[in-house]
Each structure stands twice: as C-alpha cells, then as structure tokens.
C-alpha cells in the first residue's frame, strides 16, 4: 500500500514516536533513516507528504529538499522539516529551498499531526491504523 | 688710447647711474610698487654680489697661475645653493622668524642673545673683511692704471701713486655707501635702493665679462677649441695630479662657508630675503650666474698668456686683451664691469659691517651710558644709529685702505680673497651648531671662534704683511723666538703642505674642537635653551618663534617712551597706531605678551636682538628681566616640548595598544563564534533526547488505551533518553573542566596493561552487543606510565567502544597492541571498520564529531568522546593520534568490504625508575 | 610620479652627489690628458657636473613644496604697509 507520509529520521527513538503519532492520527507511514534512502523511496513510492529531519547521514535534509524541489515530479510534494538546531538561519534556508512547513524539536505531538493534516487534508482512516501498529 | 678724463668721466657717470637706479627703486618702493624689486630675480642678482672683482679679474689670474683651481671658488657656493633645502632654507626661515639683522645677530641670537658673542663676531668680521675690501681697492687701482697706461699723455705723476688712488676710491665708495646705506634710516630701514643698484651692477659685470670673453675667444682665439689647443703651449697645465688635492678641497670648503658667512652674503641671502620661496629660484639661477661668469675664465687666461707680452699681470688680462687689440670701447666696458663688481662688494660689505658695528658695539654701550651719547627722551636713537653707521662705513673702508697700504698692494688678487674667506669661515662651526646642535652653548661658540680666529690671524692674516714688514717676514722664516715648530705657515713643522690648507685645517679643527668640548662641559642657560629650540626646531613650530616676557603689566606709556627713544617719535607713533584697535587711540592697546614680543622684534630689527631684549626687559619688568622669568619662559617651552614628545610616545603606545586590541578582538570574535557553534551543537545534542522524551511522554499522557507492552517500551525509551541526556551533560562539564585547565587528578605510575584489561572488561556489554571481538596483540611488559588509572581507563573505554560502535564489518574486531618507543609507550587500537575518510582526519577530534552512522546501531555517543580523550592525554603529557596506515607496496588491502579500518594511537610518557 | 617625500630626499641628496662628483677620487677619472667633445676632458667634466647640478636644482625646486606665506605678511599692520612704506614696520629688519 502506498504510504501517506514518509518519515526521514535517524534517531531511532524519535522515529518510533513519529511513526506512532502519525499512525495514530490515521496516516499510513513509511520510515527511512538517511537522505539517500529517502530519495530512492520517494522516487519509487511517491508518498503524499514527507517529514524530513535535517541532520541526516549520507545526505542531509537540505540536500534532500533541494533535490526534490529540483525534480519536476516532486516539485510540489509537501515537505515538513524537522530540526533540532532551532536556529533562525536554518528555518530561513529551509523556507528558501521550498519547505512546506518547519517544526523545531522538541515539538508537541499535536503540532506535527496538525501540520501534516494541513498539508494533505484530514486522514481518511482516523485512529484505525493505531491498532495495527500495536 | 683712452684719455684719463674719459675713464674718470665714465666712472662718475656710472656711479650717477647707480644713484638713479637706487633712487628710483627707493621711490617705487615707497609708493608700494615693489613687485619687481621683491622678485626672485632681483634677489638672485643681489646674491651675485659674491662675484666681485676677484671673480672679474682675479679668476683669470688664478687660472693663469693655478689652472682649474679658480673653479673651486664657485663649486662651494653651487653646492650650498643646489642643496638649499638642507641648510639655506633653515637659515632664511630663522632669519624671518627672529628678525635677524646680521650674521653676528644670528649667532648671538641663537646662543642666548649673547652680547659678547655678537661683539666678537663683529670684530672678526671686520678684520676678516678688511683684506677683501683692500682687494677691491687694489683691483680698481690696478685696472685704472692699466687702462691709463696705454695713454702716453698721462704720466704717473698725473695719475698719482697707487696709494692716493686707492684712498680716493675708498673715500668715494664710503660716500656712496653712506649716502645709500644710511640715507633713509629715519623713514625706512630697507635697502631696496641698494639692492636694486647691486642687481643692476650684477647685470653690468656679467654682460661686460661675457662681452670680453666672446671677443677674446672668437675675436682672438678663433673659437673655444682653438683656444684650448693653445693651453699646452702657454704652460697652463690642466692635468696636474695636484689639481684636485688638498688645496682644491680646502678652497671648496672655504667658498661653501663663505657664501653663508661673509657678512655681505648673509645680508643679501638672509636679511634682504623678502620671501622664502625666492630661494627656489636662487637655488639654480645663482649657480647658473656663476657658471656664466666662469665660462670664459680659462680661455681669457690662455689667450692672455699666449698673446700678451711676458710679464703682464694675469689679473688684468680681462682689461689688457681688449686694450692690446685697440678695442677701447670694450676695454672701457670691461673696466666698468670690474668697477661695478668691486663697488657692489664694497657697498654691501660696508653696510653689512656697519649694521653689525652699530647694533652690537655702539648701541649696547649707548644703552648702558646714555649720557655719553647725549641721548634724550623723545629724541630717538635713530640719530645715534645713523651716525654710528656712517662712521662704521667710513672706518671699514679706511681699514681696507690701511690693509692695502700695509701690504703694499702686492700679491695677486685671489690669495687676498682667500685670506678673507678663511677668516669668515671661522663662523661656520658656530652656524652649523646653531642650526643643528641643540646642546651647543654660547661659551662653546665663543671658545671656538676665539681659538679659530686666533689661529687664522696668526697663520693666515699675519703672513700677508710679510712683504712690507721685515719682522713678520723674519717670523715666517724662523718662527717666534726661533721656534720652528710655531712658524705661522708651517705649524708643527709641517712645511710640505700648502700654507692655506694648513691654516684652514688647523683653525677650523681647533675651532670645532673648542666649540664641541666647551659646549659639552657647560650647559645652556635658560634663554640659551629656549633659543636653541627655536633655531634647531624651526620647522617644527607652526608659529613664529614664540618668546615673550612672562609679565605684560608694563605701563604702556613706558613702552611708548622707550620705543620712541629707539625709533623716533614718528615711527613709534605709527607703530603703536598699527596695534591699536580700529578707530581707537593707541593708548588703548593692551600690552599683551604677544604685543611685547612683536615690539621686541620690531626693535630687534633696528638695534639687534640682544639689545632689544635687554632694553625691553628694563621697561617690562622695571629692571632687567629677572632670572626667574627667563627660567619660567624657558621651562614652559621645555615643558611644551617634553609634553609633545610624551604625546608622541603616547600616540605610538596607543597605536600598538590598538593593534593588540584589534588582534584580541579578532581572537575574541573567533572564540565567540566557537562558543556559538558549541552552544548550537550542545543545543542540538540536548534537543534530540528531549524530543523523544517529550514526544513519548505526550503519547503516554494522551493515549490511555495503550497496551502494557507498548507503554513499557515507551517508558524505557524515556528512561534511556534521560540517561543519555545526563551522560551528555556530564561529558560537557568534564570537557569544560579539562579545557579550563583544572587538573582533577594526580598523575602517578600506572600499569597500562591493567588499565587496558579493566577497559575491555567494562566494554564487554558493548562489544558483545555489536559482536566485536577484542584481540590483544603484542603488549609491552612490565612498564609503568605516568598517568591516572581511572582517566586512562576512560580513554581506553572510549576508543574500544568507538571501534565497536562504528564497525560495520562482517566479523568486526579490534586489535590492541603496545610497544615502548624511547621515553614513551605507544598503545594502538586497530579496528577493521570503515576507517576514517581523509576529509575527516582533521575534524575527528572536534567536539560533537561523529562517525558515519550505521542505521542499524543506536548511537548513544555524544560526539565528545575523542575530544575528551585527547584533552585527558594532553594533561598527562601524552597524545592521541589517528595513524594513517601504510600498506606494503602502497597497495590497499581490499579483502572484503572492510578496507583498512582505523588505527588510533595513544602515546603515554613512561615512568623511569 | 615621484612622491613629495622622495623629492625632499633628492633635494637633500643633490649636494652630496655634487660633493662626490667634484672631489677625488671621482674627479681624477676625468683628470686625464684627453679631449672630450673638443675640450680638455677635465673641462668638459667639470662644466657637465656643474650644468647637471643646476638642471637638477631647477627641476627639483619646481617639485618641492612651497614655504608657507611669509610670517611677516600676517602681521596686523598689513594695511599700513601698503599705505605708506614709511610706516612699514614689518620690514625694518632689512637694515
């Protein structure tokens, strides 16, 4: 099944939590832990949105963002940036590169869910996948 | 054939012409139309008074006798003028600032306004110039005789003997000088008229000499080349090896000194200078004038020797050559040229000397004993000045005549001139010291002048009388009381040298030594120090030399009365009026220090600096200026100078401090940036576990229906992340403490192998988790290192766990070996992991650096481990390095995916028993 | 272009050059029995040095900075000087 949201995050604990809350919000999710994997995955499966960490092995978040925006096929793919650095400069850079949203760690779970909802609409199967995960 | 009456008539007509020129110039000056009169051209021509009849007639004689030697007379002045920026400019600037009236005034002014010095210089100048004036008299007399001798109708009886002729000429010149030099002292003490007349004469003598030269070279000699071709035949040897020996050097030095020290040259160059910038023109135009005057000297000498009968006086070739060729008009013109060169010198020299005599000898005496000279209030000193100057001029010329008489007018012109040069050259050390040596003192100058002039008088001046005085001739031969050592022209028995060279050498040497030694032994008094500063540092002052009386409470009436006494009522009134505020009476003038200073300068312009100072001091402070005031003045100046020096030093210090500050600032900025980066990284490192904790906490809070296992898992994650956070904080604090240099432990002998075993033991969970096998290679046995056991364990643990965590090999392993190298123990940690890329070898020890993460392994490292390890080892005088492995034959081992791996080397100092 | 500092330096150097040129040993080089440009070599040499010095002085003085206006020009009685030279007090130093 085609996932709704691709989570790109290298910290296992955070990845787990993101997966849980988005799943719980009703979205089908997929996970990768580095930039190159993210690129490959997106080309193959075309998720509806991407939650992208900036500090990533192999290819960092900015590079992924840039590459996606340069590609006409993923030109308008909604991308939500996550960062632990929280510097104004990073946010500006991300926005310039065409990020759809920007969230600073640590975040409230609802912020992430709301942001994803705003990008791709209300999930069709609310709360359903939650059970599957568990 | 020229009749006597024509010659006399022409001469008189010429003198009348001079009068007219002088008169018109004075008139124009009075009307304020002195643009031409104050031009650099007139200034340069006035300086050309240097070329006297010695140049006009004597140079040819000199060339006929001594070849090129005559050129040295012009080389000195040329060098001084082309180097005007160095010396003359300073001289002229001081002359303006200090309102200098003569060379005696200059020297005395510099050395604390010393009256004694002024008097001494005046006397030396008078004695020194006397031969020079005699030289002019001789030139005119001789030339007159030459031009009249061609006339068979004029017998010796008619022309009279030389003495009478010379006396008549001296008297006539005295008259002229008195009439012009002191004609208008009441109204205006300028010499525009005289200067204009001198400039006019400079043109006349130049044109006359060039005319004769052209006639001789092209009319008789057949061009320059043909003329010079005759040189050998007539015995003028241009290429004697001696040409440029000591005599050449001596005359060059003498003439360089003379162009400044001769009172008339000082008068025209410094005193009559209207604008400092005129020196610019003079710097090249005056040497050019001299060049023009010298071009024909040698040709005339050569032709004269070859054409005129043997035994002719070479000094008179300029006149004799046209006469011998029946060029009467040219001869007359040449005579007038010689006449003008002689008269211009006599006029200026006598005026310059008379100023010195009246200002430095007569006035000081008159000031001390007013009754003697019948000075009355309001009558003014002008009459006294006028009378004394007239008398001085007459006396000077009379002295010249006496010298002429005593020396019987014998000898060539040039040697007589050189005696004068050597005399006035005695001023040179004092002048140079005045300009450039702050510590030269009045006593030093006095001693130098006395010594130098005494030697000059004995070795140069005295011998010139030998021809007319038996005793002196005897003295020259045998020395005083038969002591050969002291023969005037062979001092210390050195008779192989030229007498002139000897005299100049000994006199100037003794002069300089006396000046230096006495100056060093003594000290300048207050006013001397002040004046020394004003002279030596003249270009450092933005204003006129500021000096003044400390008090300005002088009653205006007294000042006015005193000024009237010196300048006369009319001039005193106009002077005071010029100071009065517009539209007000001169009685409203504030006697400010500036006013007093200005007044002193005005007075100095009339009676010399020393006299003016004494005079004004009497009025201003009721008595002579008190020593305290002088000291105060001098000290203030000194303080200002010291203050400005301090300021300069402070400025330099400030500049270097600013530089240091800027460097520090740059470093601070860098540190600040590093701190920012560090904080940003710390923030990132903290945020990551915080995010997980918060997120899971929220999940736990909002999802009440979680399964127990799920809940359990999330709580454990929260716990783990909290632990990670704590560890991170501890490491940061640890690193911070290490970096700040806080030594938290004591180093002691430690068994490295025991520490290694402990570390491996501690790491067992990690290595087991990653299935990394720890292998021990060769270990150095029975060694002790200087370290701390716990800390060295920490380093080893860090290295082993790194090797385990980042090892993605199929069969991950880490090999540990150690060996002794000199005073150190080397412990190597070699893994078969991915290795460190070349780009990372530089940054691997930076804070928060982390190896490329293996997504399958969870990293709990903070990125501070290597940085901390390095710091720890640094504190133990050891080090931690990444070793680049060299494979044999330069080949990389490419067995399997695990390339070469990484090798960390710990270096520890050995404990030696 | 040559800077003003260099000009001043050259102005100070010029007399030194002159001294070196007219004194032995340099002058002895020209002091030989030979003709140069139709004149005895030593004559040509001396006058060439002389002309060089004059030319150099001429060129230098055009570049050298002018002195500030004569201080005596700035005295308060400037107007009286032009009115009547008899009252001119600034130039009484000329005697």
């Amino acid at each position: 099944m085609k996932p709704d949201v691709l989570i790109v995050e290298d910290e296992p604990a955070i990845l787990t939590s993101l997966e849980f809350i988005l799943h719980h919000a009703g979205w089908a999710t997929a996970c990768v832990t580095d930039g190159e994997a993210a690129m490959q995955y997106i080309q193959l499966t075309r998720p509806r949105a991407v939650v992208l960490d900036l500090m990533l092995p192999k290819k960092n978040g900015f590079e992924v963002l840039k590459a996606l925006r340069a590609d006409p096929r993923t030109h308008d793919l909604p991308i939500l940036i996550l960062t632990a650095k929280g510097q104004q400069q990073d946010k500006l850079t991300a926005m310039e590169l065409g990020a759809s949203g920007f969230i600073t760690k640590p975040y409230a779970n609802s912020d992430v869910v709301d942001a994803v909802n705003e990008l791709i609409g209300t999930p069709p199967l609310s709360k359903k996948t939650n059970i599957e995960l568990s | 054939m020229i009749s006597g009456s024509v010659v006399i008539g022409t001469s008189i007509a010429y003198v009348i012409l001079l009068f007219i020129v002088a008169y018109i110039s004075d008139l124009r000056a009075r009307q304020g139309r002195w643009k031409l009169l104050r031009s650099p051209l007139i200034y340069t021509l006035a300086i050309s008074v240097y070329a006297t009849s010695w140049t006009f007639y004597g140079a040819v004689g000199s060339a006929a006798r001594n070849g090129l030697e005559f050129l040295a007379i012009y080389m000195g002045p040329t060098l001084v003028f082309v180097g005007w920026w160095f010396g003359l400019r300073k001289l002229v600037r001081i002359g303006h600032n200090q309102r200098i009236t003569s060379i005696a005034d200059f020297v005395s002014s510099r050395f604390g306004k010393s009256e004694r010095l002024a008097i001494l210089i005046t006397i030396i100048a008078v004695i020194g110039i006397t031969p020079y004036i005699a030289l002019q008299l001789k030139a005119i007399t001789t030339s007159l005789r030459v031009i009249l001798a061609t006339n068979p109708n004029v017998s010796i009886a008619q022309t009279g003997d030389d003495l009478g002729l010379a006396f008549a000429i001296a008297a006539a010149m005295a008259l002229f000088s008195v009439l012009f030099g002191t004609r208008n002292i009441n109204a205006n003490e300028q010499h525009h008229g005289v200067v204009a007349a001198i400039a006019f004469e400079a043109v006349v003598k130049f044109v006359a000499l060039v005319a004769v030269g052209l006639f001789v070279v092209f009319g008789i000699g057949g061009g320059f080349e043909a003329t010079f071709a005759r040189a050998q035949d007539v015995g003028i040897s241009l290429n004697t090896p001696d040409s440029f020996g000591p005599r050449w050097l001596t005359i060059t030095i003498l003439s360089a000194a003379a162009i400044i020290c001769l009172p008339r040259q000082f008068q025209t160059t410094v005193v009559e200078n209207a604008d400092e910038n005129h020196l610019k023109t003079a710097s090249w135009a005056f040497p050019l004038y001299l060049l023009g005057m010298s071009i024909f000297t040698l040709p005339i000498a050569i032709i004269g020797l070859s054409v005129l009968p043997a035994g002719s006086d070479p000094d008179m070739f300029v006149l004799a050559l046209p006469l011998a060729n029946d060029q009467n008009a040219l001869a007359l013109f040449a005579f007038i040229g010689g006449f003008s060169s002689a008269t211009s010198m006599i006029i200026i020299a006598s005026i310059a000397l008379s100023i010195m005599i009246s200002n430095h000898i007569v006035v000081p005496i008159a000031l001390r004993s007013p009754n003697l000279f019948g000075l009355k209030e309001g009558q003014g000193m002008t009459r006294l000045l006028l009378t004394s100057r007239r008398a001085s001029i007459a006396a000077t010329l009379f002295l010249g005549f006496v010298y002429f008489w005593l020396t019987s007018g014998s000898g060539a012109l040039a040697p007589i001139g050189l005696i004068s040069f050597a005399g006035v050259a005695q001023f040179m050390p004092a002048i140079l010291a005045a300009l450039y040596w702050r510590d030269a003192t009045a006593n030093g100058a006095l001693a130098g002048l006395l010594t130098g002039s005494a030697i000059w008088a004995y070795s140069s001046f005295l011998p010139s009388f030998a021809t007319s005085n038996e005793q002196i001739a005897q003295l020259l031969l045998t020395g005083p009381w038969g002591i050969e050592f002291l023969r005037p022209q062979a001092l210390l028995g050195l008779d192989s040298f030229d007498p002139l060279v000897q005299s100049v050498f000994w006199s100037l040497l003794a002069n300089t030594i006396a000046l230096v030694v006495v100056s060093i032994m003594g000290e300048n008094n207050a006013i001397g120090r002040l004046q020394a500063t004003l002279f030596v540092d003249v270009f450092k002052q933005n204003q006129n030399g500021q000096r003044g009386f400390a008090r300005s409470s002088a009653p205006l009436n007294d000042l006015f009365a005193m000024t009237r006494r010196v300048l006369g009522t009319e001039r005193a009134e106009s002077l005071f009026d010029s100071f009065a505020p517009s539209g007000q009476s001169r009685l409203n003038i504030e006697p400010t220090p500036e006013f007093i200073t200005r007044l002193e300068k005005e007075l100095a312009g009339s009676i010399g600096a020393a006299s003016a100072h004494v005079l004004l001091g009497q009025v201003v402070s009721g008595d002579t200026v008190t020593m305290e005031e002088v000291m105060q003045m001098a000290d203030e100046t000194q303080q200002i100078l010291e203050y400005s020096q301090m300021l300069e030093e402070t400025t330099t210090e400030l500049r270097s401090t600013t530089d240091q500050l800027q460097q520090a600032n740059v470093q601070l900025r860098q540190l600040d940036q590093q701190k920012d980066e560090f904080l940003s990284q710390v923030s990132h490192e903290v945020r990551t576990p915080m995010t997980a904790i918060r997120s899971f906490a929220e999940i736990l809070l909002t999802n009440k229906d979680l399964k127990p296992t799920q809940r359990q898992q999330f709580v454990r994650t929260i716990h783990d992340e909290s632990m990670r956070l704590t560890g991170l904080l501890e490491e940061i604090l640890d690193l911070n403490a290490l970096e700040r240099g806080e030594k938290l432990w004591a180093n002691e002998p430690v068994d490295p192998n025991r520490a290694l075993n402990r570390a491996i033991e501690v790491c067992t969970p990690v290595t087991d988790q990653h299935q990394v096998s720890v292998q021990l290679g060769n270990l150095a046995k029975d060694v002790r290192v200087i370290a701390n056991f716990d800390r060295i364990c920490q380093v080893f643990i860090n290295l082993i766990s790194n090797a385990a965590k980042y090892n993605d090999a199929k069969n991950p392993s880490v090999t540990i070996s150690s060996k002794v190298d000199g005073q150190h123990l080397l412990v190597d940690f070699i893994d078969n992991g991915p290795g460190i890329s070349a780009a990372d070898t530089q940054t691997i020890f930076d804070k928060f650096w982390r190896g490329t993460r293996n997504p399958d392994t969870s990293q709990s490292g903070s990125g501070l481990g290597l940085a901390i390890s390095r710091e720890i080892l640094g504190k133990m005088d050891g080090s931690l390095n990444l070793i680049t492995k060299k494979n044999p034959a330069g080949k990389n081992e490419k067995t399997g995916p695990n390339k070469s791996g990484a090798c960390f080397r710990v270096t520890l100092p050995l404990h030696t028993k | 272009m040559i800077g003003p500092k260099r000009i001043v330096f050259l102005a100070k150097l010029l007399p030194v050059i002159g001294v070196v040129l007219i004194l032995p040993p340099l002058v002895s080089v020209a002091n030989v029995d030979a003709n140069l440009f139709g004149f005895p070599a030593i004559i040509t040499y001396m006058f060439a040095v002389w002309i060089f010095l004059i030319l150099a002085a001429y060129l230098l003085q055009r570049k050298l900075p002018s002195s500030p206006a004569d201080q005596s020009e700035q005295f308060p009685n400037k107007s009286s000087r032009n009115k009547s030279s008899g009252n001119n007090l600034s130039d009484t130093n000329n005697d």
Side-chain angles (χ1 to χ4, degrees), chain B residues 38-370:
Chain B
R38 290 170 69 112
S39 72
L41 180 71
I42 298 285
Y43 176 67
T44 307
L45 286 174
I47 293 173
S48 306
V49 73
Y50 181 74
T52 65
S53 56
W54 173 6
T55 300
F56 198 86
Y57 294 123
V60 173
S62 180
R65 295 184 187 96
N66 301 322
L68 275 175
E69 185 183 291
F70 78 98
L71 272 183
I73 299 289
Y74 309 110
M75 282 304 154
T78 298
L79 292 175
V80 170
F81 268 81
V82 298
W84 66 286
W85 186 264
F86 194 63
L88 281 179
R89 193 173 66 106
K90 197 169 189 181
L91 212 57
V92 169
R93 174 73 63 88
I94 294 170
H96 276 272
N97 281 357
Q98 303 282 320
R99 321 221 92 199
I100 297 299
T101 62
S102 67
I103 189 163
D105 195 25
F106 179 86
V107 176
S108 97
S109 220
R110 156 66 176 82
F111 294 106
K113 311 193 173 181
S114 155
E115 280 185 6
R116 284 187 300 168
L117 212 45
I119 293 172
L120 179 64
I121 291 181
T122 304
I123 293 172
I124 296 173
V126 169
I127 298 174
I129 296 312
T130 300
Y132 213 146
I133 290 177
L135 184 156
Q136 312 303 323
L137 295 177
K138 176 176 151 63
I140 297 178
T141 320
T142 319
S143 62
L144 205 53
R145 284 184 62 79
V146 168
I147 201 166
L148 293 182
T150 56
N151 189 335
N153 299 330
V154 183
S155 69
I156 290 293
Q158 273 171 297
T159 53
D161 59 357
D162 278 356
L163 275 183
L165 208 58
F167 187 80
I169 292 161
M173 284 300 110
L175 192 66
F176 185 91
S177 306
V178 165
L179 278 174
F180 261 97
T182 64
R183 189 172 62 94
N184 45 6
I185 197 166
N186 243 335
N188 188 338
E189 291 184 83
Q190 293 182 26
H191 296 105
H192 289 297
V194 174
V195 168
I198 298 305
F200 174 74
E201 296 207 277
V203 176
V204 170
K205 65 192 176 195
F206 186 84
V207 175
L209 191 62
V210 170
V212 173
L214 288 174
F215 166 73
V216 169
V217 170
F218 296 101
I220 308 173
F224 274 110
E225 284 186 48
T227 303
F228 280 111
R230 299 195 200 191
Q232 207 67 45
D233 308 333
V234 299
I236 291 187
S237 175
L238 294 173
N239 298 112
T240 56
D242 295 342
S243 293
F244 301 100
R247 216 177 131 82
W248 171 264
L249 176 65
T250 304
I251 294 176
T252 306
I253 291 172
L254 274 187
S255 62
I259 198 66
I260 292 166
C261 297
L262 281 172
R264 69 170 196 280
Q265 294 305 138
F266 194 89
Q267 177 82 21
T268 50
T269 311
V270 179
V271 181
E272 302 277 0
N273 176 282
D275 181 350
E276 204 176 297
N277 290 314
H278 288 179
L279 269 179
K280 284 186 163 188
T281 308
S283 75
W284 59 270
F286 175 60
L288 188 63
Y289 183 96
L290 294 179
L291 177 84
M293 290 291 273
S294 320
I295 285 178
F296 295 104
T297 304
L298 261 178
I300 293 174
I302 293 167
I303 299 294
L305 283 176
S306 75
V307 171
L308 293 175
S312 303
D313 182 2
D315 279 343
M316 286 298 137
F317 281 176
V318 174
L319 203 52
L321 278 171
L323 283 174
N325 289 276
D326 290 330
Q327 296 285 335
N328 286 344
L330 185 61
L332 196 59
F333 189 28
F335 171 76
I336 291 299
F339 185 70
S340 61
S341 57
T343 51
S344 56
M345 182 271 161
I346 291 176
I347 292 165
I348 287 287
S350 62
I351 289 173
L353 286 177
S354 77
I355 291 169
M356 286 160 72
I357 294 171
S358 70
N359 281 2
H360 302 306
I361 296 179
V362 178
V363 170
I365 296 172
L367 284 176
R368 294 225 164 76
S369 44

Side-chain angles (χ1 to χ4, degrees), chain B residues 587-640:
Chain B
L587 294 173
N588 290 354
I589 300 171
E590 278 289 315
T592 56
E594 292 75 35
F595 171 69
I596 306 276
T597 309
R598 175 92 164 79
L599 193 61
E600 188 188 340
K601 283 188 178 172
E602 291 297 340
L603 294 176
S606 279
I607 55 176
S611 302
H613 192 72
V614 171
L615 196 59
L616 211 60
Q618 280 175 349
V619 178
V620 170
S621 40
D623 198 84
T624 38
V625 60
T626 61
M627 205 54 205
E628 286 92 305
E629 278 173 342
V630 175
M631 288 302 290
Q632 193 190 334
M633 280 154 45
D635 283 352
E636 276 169 14
T637 316
Q638 202 63 29
Q639 277 168 10
I640 290 169

Side-chain angles (χ1 to χ4, degrees), chain B residues 832-849:
Chain B
N832 57 351
I836 310 291
S837 71
D840 286 337
T841 52
Q842 298 300 321
T843 54
I844 184 169
F845 295 104
D846 286 354
K847 290 165 212 165
F848 300 111
W849 185 89

Side-chain angles (χ1 to χ4, degrees), chain B residues 388-593:
Chain B
S388 66
R389 278 182 202 178
R390 286 173 180 165
S392 308
I393 290 174
T396 311
L397 282 168
F398 183 71
L399 279 176
F401 167 73
V402 170
Y403 184 91
F404 173 80
W405 177 35
L406 288 179
T407 57
S408 303
S410 67
L413 294 177
I416 306 178
L418 286 173
I419 291 169
S420 275
F421 274 20
V424 294
Q426 301 308 322
F427 303 152
M428 207 58 214
I431 287 180
L432 285 177
L435 289 179
Y436 300 106
W437 190 30
R438 200 185 300 274
D439 294 330
T441 66
N443 283 338
L446 212 58
L449 279 166
L450 276 173
T451 320
S453 56
I455 295 177
W456 165 78
Y458 182 68
S459 62
S460 212
F461 187 68
L462 192 68
S464 65
F465 295 101
T467 48
S468 60
N469 189 312
E470 274 299 312
Q471 280 168 312
I472 292 174
Q474 191 63 32
L475 182 76
L476 290 187
L477 277 179
T478 59
W481 308 286
I483 305 173
E484 293 218 347
F485 243 55
L486 295 177
R487 275 185 299 157
Q489 294 190 323
L491 287 170
L492 303 184
L494 296 170
D495 44 10
S496 57
F497 281 98
D498 183 86
L500 176 78
V501 174
Q502 281 204 24
S503 175
V504 169
F505 175 75
W506 290 122
S507 59
L508 282 182
L509 182 70
N511 186 331
T512 309
I513 288 175
L515 168 68
V516 171
V517 169
V518 176
S519 290
I520 286 175
M521 289 199 309
E523 227 174 61
N524 265 320
N525 62 12
I527 210 169
R529 284 209 303 275
L530 184 64
Q531 289 297 97
T533 305
L534 290 177
F535 274 58
V536 176
D537 295 333
V538 66
F539 290 120
K540 292 182 188 160
Q541 299 150 13
N542 5 353
Q543 284 187 320
N544 279 352
Q546 284 290 339
R547 71 200 150 95
F549 290 94
R551 275 201 271 155
S552 56
S553 57
L556 196 68
N557 283 341
D558 288 1
L559 284 175
F560 184 68
M562 187 268 306
T563 313
R564 210 170 48 173
R565 201 176 140 205
V566 176
L567 301 174
T569 308
E570 194 190 328
R571 277 193 60 198
E573 279 176 1
S574 63
L575 169 63
F576 273 65
D577 282 343
S578 71
F579 281 112
S582 57
Q584 292 188 43
S585 151
R586 61 173 166 272
L587 294 173
N588 290 354
I589 300 171
E590 278 289 315
T592 56

Side-chain angles (χ1 to χ4, degrees), chain C:
Chain C
M1 278 305 287
I2 310 174
K5 271 192 174 172
R6 198 120 340 139
I7 290 284
V8 167
F9 174 73
L10 286 177
K12 289 178 178 171
L13 188 69
L14 187 60
V16 180
I17 295 172
V19 166
V20 171
L21 285 177
I22 64 156
L23 289 184
L26 219 54
V27 75
S28 309
V29 175
N31 192 15
V32 290
D33 193 8
N35 273 25
L36 205 61
F37 306 117
F39 299 99
I42 185 64
I43 301 284
T44 315
Y45 176 80
M46 289 307 292
F47 278 88
V49 168
W50 207 346
I51 288 165
F52 158 74
L53 289 175
I54 291 167
L55 260 179
Y58 173 74
L59 293 175
L60 279 175
Q61 60 92 18
R62 298 206 312 174
K63 300 263 180 189
L64 280 167
S66 284
S67 301
D70 192 353
Q71 299 280 354
S72 66
E73 304 283 347
Q74 294 160 3
F75 282 148
N77 62 334
K78 194 176 178 182
S79 56
S80 75
R81 120 186 319 207
N82 295 332
K83 220 162 46 194
S84 150
S85 64
N87 285 346
N88 189 309
L89 301 156
S90 307
D91 297 302
T92 49
N93 63 330
N94 282 353
D95 192 347

Side-chain angles (χ1 to χ4, degrees), chain A residues 11 13-14 17 105-107 109, chain B residues 685-701 714-726:
Chain A
E11 282 287 335
I14 297 176
S17 78
K105 293 178 188 172
Y107 45 77
N109 291 346
Chain B
E685 294 303 320
V686 173
R687 274 168 202 264
T688 304
M690 283 296 289
T691 307
I693 292 169
R694 180 176 172 183
S695 188
F696 281 115
E698 277 182 17
I699 291 171
L700 288 171
L701 279 174
F714 292 170
V715 170
R716 198 190 310 118
T717 310
I718 290 177
H719 176 260
D720 289 348
E721 293 296 314
S722 307
M723 291 308 290
R724 180 173 158 195
L725 206 52
T726 315

